[in-house]
Amino acid sequence: MSEASEPPAPPNPAEPADPTQTSTPHGPLPRLLEAVLGVGVDPELRATLQHIVDTAAELTDARHASLEATTPGPDGDEGDGDGCPTEFHTAEPPAAGQAAFGPLSRLDVPVRVRDDAYGSLRLTGKREGVPFTGEDEQLVRVLATQAGIAIGNARLHETARQRERWIEGAAAVTTALLTGETAADALMTVAERARMLADASAGVILQPTDEGGMEIVTASTPDDPGGLVGTTIAPGSAVLEQLLGGEPVFVDDSATDPRMTTQVRHRFGPSMLLPLQAGGRLIGTLALPRRRGDRPYTSVEQLLATQFASQAALALVLADAQQRRERLAVFEDRDRIARDLHDLVVQRLFATGMMLESTQRRTADEERDPEVHAMLGRAVEELRSTVQEVRTTIFALQQPPADAPTTFRGKVLRETAGAAAVLGFQPSVQFTGPVDARLPAPVATCLLTALRAALAAASHRTGTTRVTVSIDATTTLPDGRPGVRLTVFDDGEGEAGGEDEPGTGTTVTWQSPLRTHP
């Protein structure tokens, strides 16, 4: 009798599986867990959100999935103002005008960023033609929550980056202003840095006018800023009243806002006008307009720009105070040098000249050696010339170092100082007569032009080691009229073929009547 065959024993779960066999977890939960864990792994927000959309379509077997921003965010943007994307899709979107794939073939789950609505995660048409289930909806809700978390984190990250950039910009402006920039350069530094930080099309500085309005005095643009500088806001403007009160003004569209009255408003769209105020003192206004059609400023950008303007105003005040202290120190030092020159050097030279004149007269009376008499005469003239030069130096020391000269003497000294940089030495300057009082403006302008040409010619001659400039406002012209004479001498070699012989130097003379018409 044959034994019945025994059925095969069931596999022992304790025994290890065949190492040649592999298995992959299936089902929605492992894939959902994978999608949740993947949020935040990729630093690129767009890649993360696209991954969420693709996972939603895969888990629910939907033909089309999308993530769309439908409601403006807390800063007034629609998903693109803070670095957050507005729309993502999977493949097979429904054609335009196509009806729904079937009953319950569309599933919309809201996406919220904290307590604010952002948009929706939308799925359309299951491939089997069956409706979406409650399980599908739960899966999509989890993914929508993860999308909101990713967008919220991106907003926080972008806000932190913006704040860091504005803080670094304010620090850079403060450092630049305290290194001794001029007032115009300081304003340009503020305008240019603010324009780049705000991603604006222009950065302009307005300052109050004597008439009670405001005028653009500095403009920084990546293109031609033509027509901006000199533009004014008329007194009585609603925007002006707000700025003069120390309040910022935020405009959605400069071209259409009735508060904006400047002639260049049509060029710009969203704009910020921020008062530059420190210690109760209104220095001016920082305006940051964007081009028409550009995105509006978010509340975060408005806050950071306002803080930047306050810090920049304080830096401008500190820089101005520092420059004033430095100028005061220079003035005090120059006054001391001028007093020393006047009280000691000039008096001693004058006394020495009187002694020489007395000696010269005695030699003439006693009919001494004529050579000695001539030498004494030359010594007296040299002393007179030296006294005149010292007095000119004293006058130059009393001029403000950073300001353009307003007197004729100051303008002459500025021209010779500019020539000194080319010549390598300072030309000697002598004035005779009250040149500031006697020379009318047209004559002074012509004289300065002639002086500039003579100094330029002297700098081009070889071997020039000495240049003397003499301006005599007591000259009588050959026709008897009172006039002024300019004489410029240099000891350089004469040009080949010219009137001057090598080694004799060159003398340029220019003269004019004091009155250009009867």
Side-chain angles (χ1 to χ4, degrees):
M1 182 175 179
S2 63
E3 298 180 356
S5 59
E6 297 180 358
N12 186 357
E15 294 179 358
D18 186 351
T20 63
Q21 301 295 324
T22 60
S23 62
T24 303
H26 296 284
L29 290 180
R31 285 179 289 174
L32 176 63
L33 179 61
E34 179 184 355
V36 171
L37 294 178
V39 174
V41 174
D42 195 327
E44 176 60 38
L45 176 63
R46 294 181 177 272
T48 298
L49 296 182
Q50 185 65 62
H51 177 66
I52 290 175
V53 171
D54 294 339
T55 302
E58 180 183 356
L59 292 178
T60 61
D61 201 22
R63 294 187 179 183
H64 176 251
S66 64
L67 174 62
E68 302 175 2
T70 57
T71 305
D75 292 330
D77 63 84
E78 295 188 358
D80 61 350
D82 51 7
C84 300
T86 58
E87 190 169 348
F88 286 94
H89 294 275
T90 62
E92 295 189 33
Q98 179 178 339
F101 289 101
L104 299 178
S105 61
R106 173 169 168 171
L107 182 60
D108 284 317
V109 176
V111 176
R112 303 185 67 85
V113 180
R114 294 180 179 84
D115 295 330
D116 301 314
Y118 176 82
S120 63
L121 184 57
R122 176 174 300 169
L123 291 88
T124 308
K126 295 196 70 163
R127 295 184 184 276
E128 297 85 356
V130 298
F132 289 105
T133 65
E135 181 182 0
D136 293 334
E137 182 177 358
Q138 292 298 324
L139 292 174
V140 176
R141 286 188 181 279
V142 173
L143 292 174
T145 301
Q146 296 305 309
I149 293 174
I151 295 171
N153 291 338
R155 284 180 173 176
L156 289 175
H157 180 65
E158 179 61 24
T159 299
R161 288 181 57 192
Q162 283 184 340
R163 190 178 300 275
E164 181 181 1
R165 289 194 298 266
W166 281 94
I167 291 175
E168 290 177 351
V173 166
T174 301
T175 302
L177 297 187
L178 295 179
T179 55
E181 290 187 342
T182 63
D185 291 338
L187 294 178
M188 179 58 75
T189 298
V190 173
E192 188 168 356
R193 178 68 65 149
R195 175 185 63 81
M196 293 186 294
L197 289 171
D199 192 23
S201 63
V204 301
I205 302 291
L206 299 94
Q207 290 188 323
T209 62
D210 296 335
E211 294 77 16
M214 276 198 174
E215 179 182 1
I216 297 179
V217 296
T218 301
S220 169
T221 63
D223 305 319
D224 182 16
L228 290 180
V229 175
T231 300
T232 60
I233 300 178
S237 167
V239 169
L240 184 61
E241 295 297 328
Q242 195 168 341
L243 292 173
L244 293 177
E247 300 179 14
V249 177
F250 303 108
V251 177
D252 293 332
D253 187 2
S254 299
T256 59
D257 195 304
R259 297 175 298 172
M260 304 297 289
T261 58
T262 63
Q263 61 184 10
V264 295
R265 66 186 185 277
H266 63 278
R267 301 188 191 179
F268 306 112
S271 183
M272 295 188 290
L273 293 92
L274 312 168
L276 296 170
Q277 190 172 18
R281 173 189 173 193
L282 182 64
I283 303 173
T285 296
L286 170 63
L288 298 170
R290 284 176 172 166
R291 294 181 180 87
R292 296 205 69 186
D294 284 358
R295 63 180 180 87
Y297 287 105
T298 65
S299 59
V300 173
E301 290 174 324
Q302 292 174 358
L303 175 61
L304 294 175
T306 302
Q307 294 174 347
F308 173 88
S310 298
Q311 296 178 9
L314 179 59
L316 287 170
V317 172
L318 292 176
D320 181 66
Q322 175 177 293
Q323 291 177 0
R324 288 176 181 272
R325 288 194 300 269
E326 292 175 353
R327 285 197 296 266
L328 180 60
V330 171
F331 290 159
E332 291 177 346
D333 197 36
R334 288 187 170 193
D335 286 342
R336 178 187 58 79
I337 296 174
R339 286 194 303 269
D340 292 344
L341 287 174
H342 185 271
D343 296 341
L344 299 176
V345 178
V346 173
Q347 291 184 13
R348 290 181 180 178
L349 290 174
F350 187 74
T352 303
M354 292 183 63
M355 293 173 58
L356 289 175
E357 286 183 346
S358 177
T359 303
Q360 184 185 27
R361 285 194 296 270
R362 287 201 301 270
T363 57
D365 294 340
E366 297 175 6
E367 297 181 358
R368 301 288 179 88
D369 189 346
E371 292 187 6
V372 174
H373 181 77
M375 290 176 59
L376 289 174
R378 287 194 297 271
V380 170
E381 290 300 323
E382 287 292 334
L383 281 175
R384 288 176 178 171
S385 177
T386 303
V387 169
Q388 184 62 35
E389 291 187 13
V390 172
R391 286 176 174 169
T392 300
T393 302
I394 293 173
F395 175 82
L397 288 171
Q398 294 171 341
Q399 298 299 306
D403 299 333
T406 57
T407 65
F408 176 74
R409 287 174 180 260
K411 293 176 181 179
V412 171
L413 296 176
R414 181 181 60 179
E415 295 294 337
T416 56
V422 180
L423 293 168
F425 57 88
Q426 180 67 41
S428 172
V429 183
Q430 298 181 13
F431 296 98
T432 303
V435 291
D436 288 325
R438 299 197 66 182
L439 266 64
V443 175
T445 300
C446 295
L447 190 150
L448 289 173
T449 301
L451 172 62
R452 198 174 298 120
L455 291 174
S459 66
H460 287 93
R461 278 188 274 273
T462 59
T464 302
T465 60
R466 182 169 63 94
V467 175
T468 61
V469 177
S470 175
I471 299 176
D472 187 356
T474 63
T475 299
T476 300
L477 300 181
D479 59 3
R481 289 183 297 169
V484 58
R485 178 179 290 113
L486 165 69
T487 305
V488 180
F489 169 80
D490 69 88
D491 61 351
E493 296 182 1
E495 299 179 359
E499 298 178 356
D500 303 297
E501 297 179 0
T504 61
T506 302
T507 301
V508 176
T509 302
W510 177 93
Q511 61 186 15
S512 169
L514 294 179
R515 293 184 180 180
T516 56
H517 57 82

